[in-house]
Amino acid sequence: MKIEYDRNTCTGMYQCTAEWDEFVENREEGKADLLESEEAEDGIFVREVPEGEEFDAEMAARVCPVDAIKVYDDDGEQIV
């Protein structure tokens, strides 16, 4: 499972940080940060979701009010 985070879209509501510990508040920039992610393109960060953390990652995506977070299954299909 892979998660994709569009940091440019993020509005700093930090709801994702309450759902998954891999999202942390960056108050200085008014955005969330996705830990251990790589910037795939400008402002788009991706990483694998560790086994056992799938539910938390999905919930982080579901609560994002601006849909800045997408989750993909192992076949590349978007599930959130």
Side-chain angles (χ1 to χ4, degrees):
M1 177 180 283
K2 180 178 84 172
I3 192 162
E4 180 182 284
Y5 167 54
D6 184 346
R7 195 167 190 272
N8 295 326
T9 300
C10 178
T11 59
M13 299 297 289
Y14 304 120
Q15 292 176 345
C16 58
T17 65
E19 298 299 331
W20 192 30
D21 292 341
E22 296 301 306
F23 279 103
V24 295
E25 295 180 15
N26 183 330
R27 294 277 177 179
E28 189 173 298
E29 295 182 25
K31 307 264 185 189
D33 288 329
L34 178 57
L35 301 176
E36 299 182 33
S37 63
E38 294 184 15
E39 191 168 14
E41 54 186 89
D42 185 39
I44 306 293
F45 293 83
V46 296
R47 66 167 286 182
E48 291 294 318
V49 176
E51 190 172 323
E53 297 183 28
E54 296 91 352
F55 180 78
D56 294 340
E58 289 178 31
M59 287 306 297
R62 290 183 195 285
V63 301
C64 180
V66 294
D67 297 326
I69 306 166
K70 298 176 182 171
V71 178
Y72 298 90
D73 66 16
D74 292 333
D75 295 324
E77 295 291 321
Q78 183 177 344
I79 55 176
V80 180

